[in-house]
Amino acid sequence: MKAMKVATGLALVALLLASPLGNAHKAESTSPEPGFRPEAPAEARFLADLGGATIAVYPTIIRRAERSAHSFKSQELVIAFLNEEGTGRAIAAHKRIDRGRMLPDSQWNIFQGGLATVAGQLAEAPVDAGYSLVLEILVPDDRVVFGIQCYVVNAAGENAFSFLLNEHHQMFAAAGLVAGESQAARDAMIENATRVAMQALKQQLARVEPCAGAAPTRIPTQPASDLIDGFETGLPSGFDPHGIPLGFSTFNGDRSRARISTTPDHPPVPGERPGNSVLKLELEVDTWAGVLHRFANETVDEWLGYDWSGALELSFWFHGNDSGTRLVIDVLDNRRLCSVLDDAERYSYEFADAFSGWRLMSIPLEIMARKEIWNGAPNDGLGLSAVHGWGIAALQTDGSITFFVDDVRLRREPLMKNVPAGLSREADIWVPVNELPMFGGYEKTAWQKTTDEKFLEMVLPGFQGDRAAAAEHFARTGWNFYYQDNKTVAIKRFNQAWMLDPGNQYALWGFAVISRERGKTEAALRFYRMALDAGPAQAGLKEEYESLRRQVAD
């Protein structure tokens, strides 16, 4: 099926940038940050060694849809730059690192795979240098650079100072990394991309060198319980030494406002204790507004990170008005070392005020998507080992509206499998199971079963009752949304295809890819095997499965 082949350049373009080829390097907004640089275990030692260490520079990898090539001219430019800047004693490593052809994936996953490949190369063929640098330039269609990745690792293969760049960074977008038809133009594009990468490296180093010897930040705290906020002790607030609001605060865009308070005067929460207080959120929003709880110490003057490792869901009681208002719940994940900004990485889930009264909402953390707010945040996945806060906001309201929130807590077992006593799965619980592969495997409520029946009654007549044909249509639609980077709708379409035909290969393949990107490796491997068993034979499918299997084995 040509439209579904995952190895095409067009699919890679859509996945990497979610924009048509002609719109490349035209992001709606760009960040002044010189790339995304995740925290690195060997960073402190690397910074201490600057100027004196030997750095082996490998031939630059030119990653294409069909195969990888290498640029020795780019390698020479990197060596010259490092020596001129005094970063270290740069030498040439002669062995080429072959990353193979570029499969469709997020740039973050490609970056992580590159780090693993470089580490493996050093294990197989060590070099006589304290550090190694490998530049990788992503050019899926030969004439446009869609991303740059700079891997800097120590002799043990540990990440020392690696980062990535793409169209969302000003210096990348301003470079206009597009070539004409000639080979000379394409070579010039690669050389220009190399210079951009080296300028980004220079800026990255300039930003972190002043804090290289600073005291380490506070170690993440283990939460005393899974209850994050019960709103029984008010809404403490304060500021850190750099003027960033800590504790509870509001935020808003143009022509928007938010007010927060706690109150015992509210519609009764199912099962609540006498005198229970809840968060009252009064909004009037034309753009966006909401509340943030940035975690802090007891005196509310120092950031605090909590270790949420092992949590599966974030749940909270929410009192809706059935207004149709779009809302988002955010998790503020890790921050950078020595930060003087709120650069916490945001992960977000959007939902609608589509019911009246209280519902116990529980959001699987795996379905939360990274939200870019151009604050220079790390870009290393929802790690949960150093969470710095949470928030809830409305995107637009029809005049003034009031919401109530209570008992924000972590869940280490799925709510749908552990409904609290006295609550009804049908009337009191809300979990977005249609955004989990195979609906999360949960037993469906009567309402969900009725909804499924109505869906089948509506859809099947259009396919003369042929469930397999209908499934193929919804699977194709899911992949189209996936390549548009709308994975929320994509997983819903894959679920609909699977409901119509549990053996539909492309729905199962979709579950595998979504699970892989969410970090659910075991589930991804299981779905890949199911897709392979469903047939027919697909070279791209098998290649993806084997690649992930090798990654796990390594």
Side-chain angles (χ1 to χ4, degrees):
M1 187 181 342
K2 292 182 180 180
M4 301 295 296
K5 287 190 70 175
V6 297
T8 63
L10 179 60
L12 285 166
V13 170
L15 180 58
L16 286 173
L17 292 180
S19 62
L21 184 59
N23 291 334
H25 310 295
K26 294 182 180 179
E28 292 183 3
S29 57
T30 55
S31 168
E33 293 294 316
F36 289 118
R37 182 173 53 80
E39 292 187 19
E43 178 178 311
R45 183 72 260 171
F46 174 71
L47 294 176
D49 290 342
L50 278 177
T54 299
I55 304 173
V57 179
Y58 283 75
T60 294
I61 303 168
I62 312 301
R63 197 87 181 277
R64 298 192 177 102
E66 299 303 325
R67 63 182 180 86
S68 286
H70 296 84
S71 171
F72 293 97
K73 177 62 177 178
S74 173
Q75 178 192 30
E76 292 172 4
L77 292 173
V78 173
I79 292 172
F81 181 89
L82 296 178
N83 287 328
E84 289 169 7
E85 291 291 324
T87 308
R89 187 175 71 89
I91 61 174
H94 301 292
K95 186 173 179 60
R96 307 180 206 187
I97 296 177
D98 186 5
R99 293 267 281 130
R101 66 192 185 96
M102 186 164 54
L103 297 172
D105 210 340
S106 67
Q107 189 177 355
W108 173 243
N109 282 345
I110 295 172
F111 177 81
Q112 288 182 302
L115 275 174
T117 299
V118 171
Q121 171 65 42
L122 287 176
E124 292 178 7
V127 293
D128 187 17
Y131 298 91
S132 294
L133 186 151
V134 184
L135 199 61
E136 181 178 36
I137 301 173
L138 309 179
V139 278
D141 76 341
D142 271 349
R143 293 188 296 119
V144 182
V145 174
F146 286 96
I148 302 172
Q149 309 189 145
C150 182
Y151 307 112
V152 181
V153 301
N154 65 11
E158 296 175 307
N159 182 13
F161 205 76
S162 304
F163 63 92
L164 62 85
L165 284 161
N166 57 38
E167 66 156 350
H168 295 294
H169 303 105
Q170 288 175 7
M171 64 189 311
F172 181 100
L177 300 176
V178 179
E181 296 290 342
S182 70
Q183 184 61 48
R186 292 195 288 271
D187 291 343
M189 177 183 70
I190 296 301
E191 292 172 20
N192 193 17
T194 304
R195 296 185 183 94
V196 171
M198 291 302 97
Q199 286 302 315
L201 175 61
K202 181 178 180 178
Q203 291 186 30
Q204 291 278 6
L205 289 170
R207 291 185 177 213
V208 301
E209 283 183 280
C211 77
T217 55
R218 182 191 289 262
I219 297 173
T221 301
Q222 292 293 331
S225 76
D226 286 338
L227 179 64
I228 301 166
D229 284 308
F231 307 109
E232 303 301 327
T233 57
L235 302 172
S237 62
F239 294 90
D240 77 355
H242 307 288
I244 301 172
L246 295 180
F248 287 91
S249 63
T250 60
F251 60 95
N252 61 273
D254 294 339
R255 303 174 304 281
S256 303
R257 65 172 179 83
R259 288 201 298 264
I260 55 174
S261 60
T262 58
T263 177
D265 183 17
H266 57 266
V269 183
E272 70 176 353
R273 300 178 304 277
N276 177 51
S277 289
V278 304
L279 173 67
K280 183 178 183 180
L281 180 57
E282 299 173 271
L283 298 169
E284 188 170 357
V285 183
D286 190 51
T287 51
W288 41 264
V291 57
L292 278 177
H293 182 190
R294 296 180 178 94
F295 298 148
N297 59 356
E298 289 186 5
T299 53
V300 201
D301 57 8
E302 181 182 353
W303 283 85
L304 195 63
Y306 282 105
D307 187 350
W308 286 8
S309 299
L312 297 179
E313 297 178 354
L314 178 66
S315 80
F316 54 95
W317 281 100
F318 184 82
H319 187 275
N321 300 284
D322 200 16
S323 64
T325 300
R326 294 165 56 211
L327 298 113
V328 292
I329 181 85
D330 282 354
V331 169
L332 281 61
D333 200 30
N334 59 320
R335 303 172 68 220
R336 292 191 181 279
L337 295 174
C338 309
S339 177
V340 299
L341 305 169
D342 175 4
D343 60 354
E345 187 176 15
R346 264 64 168 180
Y347 278 81
S348 183
Y349 179 78
E350 182 177 322
F351 64 98
D353 174 26
F355 52 82
S356 296
W358 287 102
R359 291 289 187 279
L360 180 54
M361 306 183 68
S362 200
I363 313 302
L365 291 164
E366 69 176 88
I367 73 174
M368 299 189 85
R370 188 180 190 277
K371 180 166 67 176
E372 180 59 75
I373 63 171
W374 311 115
N375 62 341
N379 186 9
D380 52 5
L382 183 56
L384 298 179
S385 61
V387 177
H388 286 82
W390 67 274
I392 190 168
L395 301 182
Q396 192 174 34
T397 63
D398 185 11
S400 299
I401 194 167
T402 298
F403 297 108
F404 297 99
V405 179
D406 198 19
D407 282 1
V408 180
R409 69 168 59 242
L410 299 176
R411 295 195 178 273
R412 299 181 186 276
E413 295 182 353
L415 176 61
M416 290 291 282
K417 292 185 177 179
N418 297 274
V419 177
L423 298 184
S424 162
R425 291 175 76 235
E426 189 73 38
D428 300 320
I429 304 297
W430 188 92
V431 179
V433 296
N434 62 341
E435 296 181 38
L436 295 170
M438 297 183 179
F439 301 97
Y442 301 128
E443 180 184 353
K444 294 185 179 181
T445 64
W447 177 83
Q448 290 168 331
K449 291 176 181 177
T450 299
T451 301
D452 289 350
E453 290 171 1
K454 290 180 179 178
F455 168 76
L456 295 174
E457 291 174 1
M458 178 181 67
V459 166
L460 287 177
F463 296 89
Q464 292 75 48
D466 188 338
R467 295 177 71 109
E472 194 74 2
H473 167 79
F474 280 93
R476 286 174 180 267
T477 303
W479 279 102
N480 286 338
F481 278 110
Y482 175 83
Y483 287 133
Q484 295 167 26
D485 206 30
N486 191 341
K487 295 167 189 175
T488 298
V489 176
I491 186 66
K492 293 176 181 178
R493 297 298 173 265
F494 294 145
N495 271 322
Q496 289 169 329
W498 175 77
M499 181 173 62
L500 285 158
D501 178 8
N504 183 276
Q505 184 181 61
Y506 288 106
L508 297 169
W509 193 346
F511 292 154
V513 171
I514 295 286
S515 297
R516 183 190 69 204
E517 294 188 3
R518 290 176 176 177
K520 301 293 183 180
T521 304
E522 290 185 8
L525 288 171
R526 183 175 75 253
F527 290 132
Y528 273 126
R529 287 191 291 267
M530 293 174 68
L532 287 166
D533 290 344
Q538 297 271 7
L541 172 61
K542 185 171 180 59
E543 186 175 355
E544 285 185 33
Y545 169 67
E546 294 295 344
S547 174
L548 182 59
R549 196 169 60 82
R550 286 193 300 271
Q551 183 179 327
V552 172
D554 293 340

